């Protein structure tokens, strides 16, 4: 058996937390030989901490062989102490009538504090995955606070969008999801994202040839993937939780599996025309010690225009939170 990994999860009593923690503790994120210690962080409010206690009781009741310890806390210093992975799920939801700029700023403050706490207390080499929205910009803010933990150790999740796009293409083509490959998300985790269908393969053939409906791919497909979160809320009366937790399992597992190519929001270095300082969904190849962005994939006029639109949104988010960037 390996030494246990310490894994911090913020927002641990929330709905994604509830769908996530059991999968980490059962070995689905880090593998069947990797024990874990869960360091679960919630806000210092009785209701949240009480709910967190209940989640910990249920984790106990699963008697997971890989779960070697739990920390329940509202103190980021304690929560991030010595962690190898920090999964930043918790954030403030958008309230009725709240402006997007206010949401960006309110959440930005959370990620300033968490970025500093991670830099001060996490293990050397700690890796960070941000789920809490606006995820790309929150990752940018958190990473900007760090001096010890490099920005390349930070990522934000666009994997749910990749999984949604893969499933939509499979449904449209009447094939299994495993028949669909090379579908990647470019840009923001928001309706402006670009699911790059022109690169996808269905049973090793170009997806546009198999689907044979350009208007669908450029219109309904992109819109369905981009607005799937809102459609889930309309249907379920609550936002995506199990699918988001599942996507985070995929995101982290693939970031730990050299050779995997998958969609991750990372700090842009100007690839594909993204502003060099925004955090954009890009196809990355996991390497032995991190990742490299897959470059030089072909972009046609439609793809270039979609990337410009999502880049413009990321640049404007960056401008809104500029004073929080260290
Ligand atoms: P919930 O409201 O169910 O849970 C969030 C939890 O975070 C709450 O228990 C809250 O007390 C806690 N929290 C808030 N601020 C915190 C802080 N500073 N430190 C620790 N805990 C804190 O939301 P849930 O449905 O779990 O969603 C969590 C976040 O994921 C939201 O921001 C949501 O928008 C985002 N999502 C991101 C997705 C992505 O693909 N990147 C998809 C799913 C999801 O919408």
């Amino acid at each position: 058996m390996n030494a246990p990994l310490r894994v911090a999860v913020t927002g641990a009593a929330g709905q994604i937390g509830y769908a996530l923690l059991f999968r980490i503790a059962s070995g689905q994120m880090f593998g069947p030989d990797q024990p874990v210690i869960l360091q679960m962080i919630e806000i210092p409010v009785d209701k949240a901490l009480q709910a967190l206690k209940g989640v910990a009781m249920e984790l106990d009741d699963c008697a997971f062989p890989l779960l070697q310890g739990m920390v329940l806390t509202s103190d980021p210093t304690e929560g991030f102490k010595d962690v190898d992975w920090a999964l930043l799920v918790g954030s403030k939801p958008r309230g009725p009538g709240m402006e997007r700029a206010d949401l960006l700023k309110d959440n930005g403050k959370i990620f300033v504090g968490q970025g500093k706490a991670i830099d001060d207390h996490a293990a050397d080499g700690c890796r960070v995955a941000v789920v809490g929205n606006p995820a790309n910009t929150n990752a940018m803010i958190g990473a900007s606070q760090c001096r010890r933990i490099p920005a390349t150790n930070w990522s934000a999740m666009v994997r749910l969008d990749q999984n949604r796009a893969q499933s939509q293409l499979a449904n449209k083509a009447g094939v299994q999801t495993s028949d669909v490959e090379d579908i990647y998300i470019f840009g923001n985790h928001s309706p402006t994202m670009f699911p790059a269908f022109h690169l996808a393969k269905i049973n090793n053939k170009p997806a546009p040839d198999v689907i044979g409906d350009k208007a669908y791919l450029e219109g309904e497909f992109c819109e369905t993937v981009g607005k799937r979160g809102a459609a889930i809320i309309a249907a379920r009366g609550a936002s995506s939780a199990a699918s988001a937790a599942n996507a985070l399992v995929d995101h982290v597992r693939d970031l730990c599996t050299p050779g995997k190519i998958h969609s991750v929001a990372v700090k842009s270095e100007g690839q594909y025309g993204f502003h060099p300082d925004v955090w954009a969904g890009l196809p990355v190849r996991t390497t032995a010690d991190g990742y490299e962005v897959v470059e030089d994939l072909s972009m046609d006029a439609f793809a270039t225009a979609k990337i410009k639109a999502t880049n413009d949104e990321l640049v404007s988010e960056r401008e809104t939170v500029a004073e929080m960037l260290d």
Side-chain angles (χ1 to χ4, degrees):
M1 273 287 178
N2 301 318
L5 275 183
R6 290 184 174 272
V7 183
V9 178
T10 68
Q15 49 154 8
I16 295 177
Y18 190 69
L20 175 68
L21 292 162
F22 299 85
R23 298 194 58 184
I24 302 174
S26 69
Q28 292 178 59
M29 185 176 272
F30 296 106
D33 299 320
Q34 180 56 63
V36 290
I37 295 171
L38 286 173
Q39 305 198 175
M40 300 179 280
I41 306 173
E42 260 297 342
I43 48 173
V45 166
D46 283 349
K47 202 168 160 220
L49 292 172
Q50 194 57 35
L52 186 58
K53 258 188 215 155
V55 176
M57 287 162 70
E58 284 203 72
L59 282 161
D60 264 338
D61 292 350
C62 294
F64 287 121
L66 292 172
L67 182 56
Q68 292 201 351
M70 287 190 270
V71 173
L72 284 65
T73 185
S74 58
D75 174 4
T77 302
E78 187 187 7
F80 292 120
K81 189 164 171 36
D82 297 331
V83 295
D84 303 289
W85 272 92
L87 310 179
L88 307 185
V89 178
S91 69
K92 187 173 171 178
R94 190 170 185 164
M98 193 178 182
E99 295 294 333
R100 187 166 168 80
D102 293 332
L103 180 76
L104 281 160
K105 286 184 183 161
D106 282 2
N107 276 305
K109 286 180 208 145
I110 295 176
F111 286 82
V112 167
Q114 292 184 348
K116 284 193 175 127
I118 288 168
D119 206 42
D120 287 345
H121 303 292
D124 284 342
C126 172
R127 299 178 79 181
V128 187
V130 176
V131 174
N133 278 322
N136 301 50
T137 291
N138 288 340
M140 173 178 68
I141 293 169
S144 80
Q145 306 304 314
C146 292
R147 299 292 168 269
R148 185 172 59 100
I149 307 291
T152 47
N153 285 27
W154 283 71
S155 62
M157 188 172 91
V158 288
R159 182 57 177 265
L160 179 55
D161 311 304
Q162 176 184 313
N163 290 350
R164 287 167 170 168
Q166 185 177 357
S167 165
Q168 290 298 319
L169 287 177
N171 288 345
K172 183 74 177 171
V175 300
Q176 301 302 317
T177 50
S178 54
D179 297 325
V180 179
E181 292 177 298
D182 301 342
I183 175 76
Y184 306 118
I185 303 298
F186 288 76
N188 206 359
H189 170 66
S190 84
T192 66
M193 77 183 76
F194 175 46
F197 56 81
H198 68 296
L199 303 171
K201 302 265 181 338
I202 298 176
N203 286 320
N204 295 317
K205 297 192 191 87
D209 294 352
V210 176
I211 303 271
D213 187 345
K214 193 166 170 240
Y216 161 79
L217 288 168
E218 292 184 351
E220 190 183 333
F221 168 73
C222 288
E223 189 161 323
T224 302
V225 176
K227 296 190 176 163
R228 185 71 165 178
I232 300 285
I233 293 174
R236 205 173 85 86
S239 57
S240 314
S243 56
N246 178 68
L248 187 57
V249 171
D250 290 344
H251 172 108
V252 173
R253 191 199 53 230
D254 284 357
L255 276 175
C256 297
T257 311
K260 280 278 180 191
I261 301 181
H262 51 124
S263 310
V264 182
V266 295
K267 184 181 180 309
S268 144
E269 300 293 345
Q271 299 96 337
Y272 297 101
F274 282 104
H275 187 288
D277 290 322
V278 299
W279 287 62
L282 287 164
V284 310
R285 182 184 295 103
T286 301
T287 58
D289 55 359
Y291 67 84
E292 59 195 16
V293 172
V294 178
E295 300 199 39
D296 302 325
L297 297 171
S298 68
M299 293 293 156
D300 56 17
F302 181 79
T304 305
K306 293 291 280 183
I307 287 177
K308 181 180 180 314
T310 194
N311 177 64
D312 287 351
E313 184 182 51
L314 286 166
V315 169
S316 111
E317 288 188 9
R318 185 180 167 88
E319 283 163 4
T320 305
V321 300
E323 79 272 14
M324 294 181 184
L325 300 170
D326 210 356

